Each structure stands twice: as C-alpha cells, then as structure tokens.
Amino acid sequence: MVSKPSIPKGTRDFSPAEVAKRQYIIQTIKNNFEKFGFAPIETPSFENSDTLMGKYGEEGDRLIFKILNSGDYLAKANTTHLEAKDSTKLTSSISEKALRYDLTVPFARYVVQHQNEIEFPFKRYQIQPVWRADRPQKGRFREFFHCDADVVGSKSLWQEVELVQLYDAVFTDLGLTGATVKINNRKILSGIAEVIGASDKLIDFTVALDKLDKIGEDGVKKEMIEKGISEEAITKVQPLFNFTGTISEKIEKLSQLLAESEEGMKGVAELRFICDNVLQLGLSTAILDLDVTLARGLNYYTGAIFEVAAPKGVAMGSIGGGGRYDDLTGIFGLKNMSGVGVSFGLDRIYLVVEELNLFPQTVTVSTKALFINYGEKEAFYAMNAMKQLRASGVKVELYPENVKVGKQFQHADKRNIPYAVIVGEEEMKAGQFALKNLTTGEQNLVDIVGLKEALL
C-alpha cells in the first residue's frame, strides 16, 4: 500500500496566493532596507557546527538542527559515547554541520572571513530561511524566514535610533498601526544583577526575566530560585515586575535603582540617548516602549535590545527583535568590531497582516487576463497579442485546450482572473479583441492598443 505523502511537523507548503502575499511583505521590507542604505548578502543554509554551537545559550543550542555526516557516519563515532548512548557527547563525532539557527551568527562569520573586502561601517540585509527544532505552535515553525538588517564597524547610537525608525517605516507601509517596539539594554540587566548581588547568575537571571509575559511573576521567581538566585535578591528586583510610567519616568526610576552600578548607569545613558532622539524625531505609526523585563536569552547582546509586539488585540508572539552585540565577531577572531541589528519575523508578520485583513486585493492577482481558446487559428492570433502584452509587462495566458467555453470561463473564475479575452473569426477579421470584465460582466471591443491600456 502506498503511504500517504506528508511533510515534517513545523514546515508548510505555500499556495500561489500565499507566496504572492509573502513576496509582498518581503518586498516591502526589502524596499525599506535599501532606503536605509543596507546592501544584500546571502550565506549557506548550513554552517560548520562549531560556528553555531555555543552562540545562543543552552536553550538555543538544543534547538539547532544537526546534519549527520555523509557516508557511514557511525564508523568514526566515539565508541565510548556510542555504547553509553550519550547523544550529547556523541553528536560532535557524527555531525560536523548544522542548519543555521539565525542569520546573525553566520553574518558575523561572513564579516570575519571577508573583512579585507568590506568597507566599514558595513550595512547589510539578508532575507533567507532559518531552522529551529522547536515545538510547533501558532506562529512558531521549524522552518521560517528571517529578514535581518545589521550594521558592523560603528559604535554610534544613531544606528539604534535609525533601526527603530526602520521598524516604524516597514510596519507603517504594511498598515500595522500600533506595533510596539520594546527596548531595553543588557547593561541595565547586568547592573540590576550587580546591585542585587547576582552577577554570577546574569544569564540565568535574564533568561528567567525574559519569560515574564509567558509564565508570569510567580513563574519567573520560581525559575530564578531553581537557578540558585536567592529570595533576598529577588525581593530587591520586585519593582521590575510592575514597572510603569512614561519612558522618561522609567529611565528616572532606573537611574535611582542603578545609582551604585557603573555598568548599569552606562545602560541608562544609552537608553536615554536612543529614546529621547526617537521621540523627538517622531514615529509614524509605531509605539516605542521601555520594557525592563525584556532580556532575550541570547548570549551575544551587550547593549540595546529590541523586540516588536503586534498591534493590541492580536494574539501573537514577537514579530521582530534584535540588539547591539559589541563582541560577536570576537568569537571568530576579529576583536573590537561592534555591531547592531534587527530582524523581522516574516511568518508571524504574515499571520498578523492576514488576521487584520491588511493585504491589498491586488497582491494575489497574478494573471490579468485569460485568452479563450477557440481553435488553432484563434490561438495563434491570441499568441501574437499576448507576446506584445507581455513585452509591456501585462500578465496574460491562453487556455491551452480548445474545450467548451464554459469550462474555460470556470477556470478563470476559480483562479480569480479578472478579465477574459475572446477572439473569434469576426474579431480576427476586424483586428480586434472582445475584452470581458469577469466581475461586472461588461464586454467591449478593443484593438491591441486599447487592450494594453485596459490591462495595464
């Protein structure tokens, strides 16, 4: 018995209409990337394992898809680990490559490898798929696209100001009014950990704090205790769980809380610069918010951290994120190369735009007109016209078989093709075409010039 075909969990097939909508979002993002001066690059879908492992924290490492070595991969496996069934230690001997988890670490590798060819500061964008062995759920897939924009070779905080504006520009063009760009700073988190005497638990502290929206205050506190953070330290950060007010008021509260931490006060100064300038320059439709619980568990952020929430009323995880990473290229041997970047979550943005019914109707229109096939001579006459129309940029096609006209019109209707072009003997003699609007039913006789004008 032939097995029923299927695809792996967390992956999807896309119909022509879905691809058209995805391309609309990608093109919107791409246009804005280029307006802001970013240039495109591409990197391989898989990297050497040692390029990726250890860059995303313990949780991230578990979600990296490993690729088995080709050939008899068990021949070179560590027999001790194999017999002990220790998959964690065995992996390195049977898998030397892995699918990329994001685009930022491969970009850092790219910068180090091509440093002699690059003019710094280097602004690049990259729109490619990434893979994560995560548990699939709404808005979370195992294969999905990242759309990243990064600047390396500049420590200027004006880059952060521009990246907030970039988010605003993209979401405004997509009609996502009210998207919230959340901002924080890892120096502030380091300062808080220092003030409460938990500097050695910084990663555990930030990973737990980052989950406040998901598991609530009690859940965060429980996880912190499990990670060895004292109840006394947790009591000191109690104000963070109800941190309200305007951005200016929040910054002032942080100044008081972190007064004894030099690192924390650096973070406060950076936040003040970014937020003040963004607010003075103004945003079109996005909202800027200072969120001190925003931690993002990725190990490489050292300064500003960004995360974007969909407009209120839409149940969706973050639709974008990023931050400043002062030492990411250092892990590949290139020191003192500061960078900052943001990412757009294409798949989640798609779901939000779909839910809010913001896709323009024209997005899914591919073929503009279907030429009805009445026979060989008529088809040849239609083909001549189609050649001219396509040269002018009009999307047209001929129904391939000479079958009942009703069936051909049904085909156009099912595919949402807005026009039909009818060519019989009379039209051919007159050098004309009968153009029928399939929405209104209106039909007119036009020549090739009129046909172009009507379909353009």
Side-chain angles (χ1 to χ4, degrees):
M1 183 178 175
V2 179
S3 61
K4 186 179 179 181
S6 62
I7 59 174
K9 286 182 179 179
T11 65
R12 297 151 297 160
D13 290 321
F14 297 107
S15 68
E18 289 169 328
V19 170
K21 290 176 179 179
R22 287 167 65 83
Q23 288 176 343
Y24 162 73
I25 295 172
I26 288 172
Q27 194 59 49
T28 301
I29 295 170
K30 180 181 175 183
N31 288 345
N32 280 288
F33 281 169
E34 293 180 355
K35 281 182 191 175
F36 279 72
F38 294 90
I41 68 163
E42 291 188 358
T43 59
S45 57
F46 56 94
E47 298 271 352
N48 292 324
S49 295
D50 57 9
T51 298
L52 303 178
M53 298 299 289
K55 312 304 188 302
Y56 306 101
E58 189 180 329
E59 289 190 16
D61 280 356
R62 286 201 298 268
L63 300 181
I64 292 174
F65 273 110
K66 287 79 176 178
I67 300 172
L68 289 173
N69 294 338
S70 56
D72 187 3
Y73 56 86
L74 285 179
K76 296 181 180 179
N78 183 297
T79 52
T80 304
H81 298 154
L82 183 60
E83 289 170 5
K85 296 183 179 179
D86 189 336
S87 59
T88 304
K89 293 179 180 177
L90 180 65
T91 300
S92 60
S93 64
I94 64 174
S95 172
E96 297 170 356
K97 299 175 183 66
L99 292 176
R100 60 174 173 243
Y101 176 92
D102 71 356
L103 298 178
T104 306
V105 171
F107 172 53
R109 189 267 310 152
Y110 174 95
V111 170
V112 174
Q113 271 194 261
H114 299 273
Q115 57 186 288
N116 295 325
E117 308 154 29
I118 293 172
E119 171 62 26
F120 294 103
F122 180 46
K123 300 178 75 170
R124 86 80 169 89
Y125 76 82
Q126 204 170 341
I127 301 175
Q128 289 186 279
V130 299
W131 294 267
R132 296 183 185 179
D134 214 342
R135 184 171 64 84
Q137 54 185 284
K138 182 184 177 182
R140 179 172 291 174
F141 308 101
R142 288 176 170 170
E143 179 185 57
F144 52 98
F145 265 73
H146 264 190
C147 309
D148 286 12
D150 289 77
V151 188
V152 290
S154 171
K155 293 183 178 180
S156 170
L157 294 176
W158 288 113
Q159 305 293 356
E160 278 86 338
V161 173
E162 277 218 313
L163 289 171
V164 175
Q165 291 180 314
L166 174 61
Y167 270 137
D168 180 46
V170 169
F171 293 125
T172 297
D173 284 354
L174 291 173
L176 287 177
T177 301
T180 300
V181 182
K182 300 177 184 178
I183 186 172
N184 197 12
N185 194 297
R186 280 302 283 259
K187 292 184 179 73
I188 283 174
L189 294 168
S190 297
I192 293 169
E194 182 186 339
V195 167
I196 66 173
S199 293
D200 60 328
K201 300 283 185 180
L202 175 61
I203 298 300
D204 292 330
F205 172 75
T206 56
V207 168
L209 192 62
D210 197 35
K211 296 176 181 176
L212 184 62
D213 287 346
K214 299 174 186 174
I215 61 177
E217 182 179 334
D218 291 339
V220 170
K221 288 179 178 178
K222 181 183 176 185
E223 183 168 327
M224 285 182 176
I225 290 170
E226 288 172 354
K227 294 291 185 179
I229 298 170
S230 69
E231 291 191 20
E232 183 185 353
I234 294 170
T235 301
K236 288 180 180 178
V237 297
Q238 181 63 40
L240 297 182
F241 296 113
N242 297 287
F243 210 70
T244 58
T246 65
I247 289 177
S248 296
E249 289 168 348
K250 288 178 181 178
I251 289 175
E252 187 54 40
K253 289 178 184 177
L254 284 173
S255 296
Q256 295 171 15
L257 180 64
L258 300 172
E260 296 178 13
S261 169
E262 184 180 349
E263 182 77 354
M265 291 307 290
K266 285 180 184 176
V268 171
E270 290 179 10
L271 266 184
R272 182 178 282 116
F273 180 91
I274 297 164
C275 293
D276 283 356
N277 282 292
V278 167
L279 294 174
Q280 286 183 56
L281 287 165
L283 297 172
S284 297
T285 62
I287 300 164
L288 182 66
D289 183 37
L290 170 52
D291 184 352
V292 289
T293 67
L294 176 61
R296 299 183 66 85
L298 304 180
N299 286 355
Y300 51 70
Y301 290 129
T302 55
I305 314 163
F306 300 107
E307 191 163 281
V308 185
K312 288 182 180 177
V314 180
M316 183 63 65
S318 65
I319 57 175
R324 167 74 63 173
Y325 42 89
D326 281 338
D327 55 6
L328 185 61
T329 56
I331 56 181
F332 298 122
L334 183 60
K335 302 292 183 182
N336 302 315
M337 184 62 69
S338 184
V340 61
V342 292
S343 181
F344 291 80
L346 169 65
D347 300 274
R348 289 187 177 184
I349 291 171
Y350 178 105
L351 293 173
V352 174
V353 175
E354 183 93 308
E355 185 173 330
L356 296 176
N357 197 28
L358 295 173
F359 283 111
Q361 275 192 318
T362 53
V363 166
T364 54
V365 175
S366 53
T367 297
K368 195 72 179 283
L370 178 72
F371 279 73
I372 305 300
N373 191 333
Y374 281 93
E376 197 169 317
K377 290 180 182 178
E378 293 86 346
F380 185 80
Y381 181 87
M383 283 290 221
N384 266 319
M386 288 161 57
K387 186 177 179 182
Q388 296 179 60
L389 290 168
R390 287 167 178 162
S392 299
V394 183
K395 299 173 184 177
V396 290
E397 60 182 278
L398 171 73
Y399 194 87
E401 277 81 36
N402 177 15
V403 296
K404 289 182 179 179
V405 172
K407 184 176 181 179
Q408 297 185 51
F409 275 107
Q410 273 185 346
H411 178 74
D413 184 54
K414 287 179 180 177
R415 289 186 50 208
N416 295 314
I417 298 174
Y419 292 95
V421 181
I422 301 161
V423 177
E425 285 189 17
E426 291 184 14
E427 286 82 11
M428 289 170 62
K429 286 178 184 177
Q432 292 185 314
F433 306 86
L435 178 64
K436 185 171 185 176
N437 184 316
L438 297 179
T439 303
T440 65
E442 184 182 355
Q443 184 169 312
N444 296 302
L445 275 176
V446 293
D447 58 15
I448 188 65
V449 175
L451 194 58
K452 280 183 190 176
E453 290 175 351
L455 296 178
L456 273 172

